[in-house]
Amino acid sequence: MKKFDRERVLLAVAGPVIALAVAFVLSAIVLIASGKSPVEPFALMFEQAAFSDIQVLIVNQASMYYIAALAVAIGFRMNLFNIGVDGQYQLAAMMAAVVGAHLDLPAVLQIPLLILTALFTGAFWSGVAGVLKVTRGVSEVVATIMLNAIATSVIAYLWLPDVFGVKVGNNNTTGEMHASGWVPGIDLGAAGEIYGLVVLAVLLGIGYWVVLNRTRFGFDLRASGASESAAAASGVDPRRMVLTAMLISGGIAGLAGLPILLGDTHTYSLNFPTGIGFLGIGIALLGRNSPVGIAFAALLWAWLDKASPELDFHGYDKEIAVIMQGLIVLSVVVSYEAVREWGLRRQQRRVGAELAAGHVLGADNNTTKEVAGR
């Protein structure tokens, strides 16, 4: 491996490793300050990861985190901050559940229809923010935050009994979806069942890498995110790329709730998971927008979620996992900036050394020519 390639790998790995180390140390300090063991909680959570049923829960949860983080990462690649992933995936899950409860087609048609419903709902909702940005210059951060609030209100309206809502006790639901829209999972016996749409998360990760690294569109997307003026000079329309990136980001966000919707709950209710879109931001940051890095980060986040309940049985607050997730996000921001500055200084020193070497070589060549001329 060339020296430059080794440095790139080192820079890519250093940020997450430093962030995780700092987060663990700070979490331990919090535990010590509360008069508790700084080691036992982590040991307990590591023990949980060895149980097959917990592993199934981790994989299932990570599949949703992974899709949400990919949606965020696409925006980051374009230098856009799609903070509306949470509203996009919840509204998309609601619409897919409504369609699945009121339309009964053969499974070969029903499942693709539900996936497309979620995809286009998420794309439409993020597209509103994209249109506002390219036509009126409205920040996508402000627009998507407001759209999250609007999505919550739209969902509450759709839950009304005279619209699409079905009351089950005190719970608001969309009614159970027809079985033709259920996606069978991978049965692991006593360990449980892995969601069938975990495969969708894997395919999205592969597609994300291929599109960004092996297509002209991916190059234009990364170029526009790095410098709109440079991209425009090469013939790329920055406004079109902004709108396209927001549509794709929202479309993928709309798929984040499908693994559990089609694989487990089969209805959208008050018990449906929330906050996945916001967690996707931290996961995308920790994974450095890389499909492989995001996969490891999603598994880490899911492990913290699913292993932490065991802490309650040993006198520890399970919120230590939430504290650690927050510390990871803060550590990621600080460590990545530190690593970036370190890499920049190394690059500057290397360029300076190469220029100095070139100057000395040029001087030697001139001396040689003078001697030869004599």
Side-chain angles (χ1 to χ4, degrees), residues 271-283:
N271 299 326
F272 201 80
T274 59
I276 291 176
F278 296 114
L279 293 176
I281 297 172
I283 294 169

Side-chain angles (χ1 to χ4, degrees), residues 35 40 64 67 69 73 82 91 138 143 145 155 186 226 233-234 291 299 336:
E40 187 179 15
M64 296 186 291
I67 297 174
N82 180 10
L91 187 59
V138 178
I145 288 176
I155 290 172
I186 304 171
S234 64
L299 289 169
Y336 281 5

Side-chain angles (χ1 to χ4, degrees), residues 41 83 94 118 153 174 180 209 213 262 264 286:
I83 205 171
M94 159 69 90
S153 299
T174 54
S180 59
W209 183 85
N213 297 283
L262 304 187
D264 183 17
L286 181 60

